Amino acid sequence: MDITHSKDGTRIAIDRTGEGPALIHVGGALNDRGSGAALAGLLAPRRTVLTYDRRGRGDSGDTPPYAVEREIEDLAAVIEAAGGSAAVYGMSSGAVLALRAAAHGLPITRLALFEPPFNPAHDDRLTRARAYSTELTGLLADGRRGDALALFMTVVGMPEETVRQMRGAPMWPALEELAPTLAYDSAVMDDAATGAELPRDLLASVPVPALVLDGGASPAWMRDIAHRTAELLPAGTHRTLHGQTHDVDPAALAPALEEFLTG
């Protein structure tokens, strides 16, 4: 584990795997730096993969008050630790953070994104995202981390019975530790203001080559959003990984990333 520090002094923990050009893995909700370890191992023969704990997770610190701009500064610090520029792969809400960082002008050479979870315009998902943000904020303010975690799992489609069973699982306390960062991902998505609507202006301002991936077995609306995201990016391309879902198999993902990064 390496340590770097963000602009505001926050400690950011990094793992490095492999040798070669740098690729930074930006995890999504409830991910820590270990979440990208399997993918990093598959890419290691040709590149150095940096996985990091986003603020508030794992071995990284957390300096209040939170702002999306601070997370962009965190990624900037990781890029500096990688050598000053790097390709970036973002998963889910981590893909949206990567997009915001690229639009902000960070030295990102190439951008790969898996299923950024934007919502279609004029869709009831916009209303649900705003309601989720409000309820999540209230639960966390009351210290109800377990209920906040259960809310997130239900919102993303997990059956309530499965969530009830998970609350008794050995992994649950560790997930509760990450629950406050669900508000960070909600802020990255802009749930409260826009309902996580597809941000056309933001996408139009991303100058770097970008690959947007989706899973062929994912819901149709998510696949459509991935395709539309790619269309709105000035240098965007789209690819479907057949048979995959939002829980993408690193073995299916790694070859697609390698092809894009070396293309």
Side-chain angles (χ1 to χ4, degrees), residues 161-239:
E161 178 58 31
T162 303
V163 175
R164 283 194 291 270
Q165 292 172 359
M166 286 189 66
R167 294 188 80 141
M171 70 174 69
W172 190 261
L175 290 174
E176 280 196 5
E177 288 296 313
L178 295 173
T181 66
L182 292 172
Y184 302 173
D185 285 287
S186 183
V188 167
M189 294 306 305
D190 203 20
D191 286 333
T194 70
E197 183 178 348
L198 188 69
R200 294 176 175 271
D201 290 345
L202 172 73
L203 296 175
S205 67
V206 174
V208 299
L211 172 67
V212 186
L213 298 134
D214 64 42
S218 290
W221 72 268
M222 184 167 281
R223 296 184 59 203
D224 179 61
I225 283 292
H227 191 269
R228 290 168 62 189
T229 298
E231 288 182 331
L232 290 167
L233 288 164
T237 57
H238 172 261
R239 179 170 178 175

Side-chain angles (χ1 to χ4, degrees), residues 88-116:
V88 172
Y89 164 68
M91 168 65 188
S92 192
S93 55
V96 181
L97 177 57
L99 279 167
R100 296 193 185 282
H104 193 74
L106 267 60
I108 295 171
T109 57
R110 284 184 171 243
L111 193 60
L113 315 164
F114 192 85
E115 294 189 345

Side-chain angles (χ1 to χ4, degrees), residues 134-153:
T134 299
E135 187 173 358
L136 177 69
T137 299
L139 290 172
L140 292 173
D142 291 341
R144 296 166 59 187
R145 292 187 176 191
D147 291 339
L149 186 57
L151 171 67
F152 169 76
M153 291 178 171

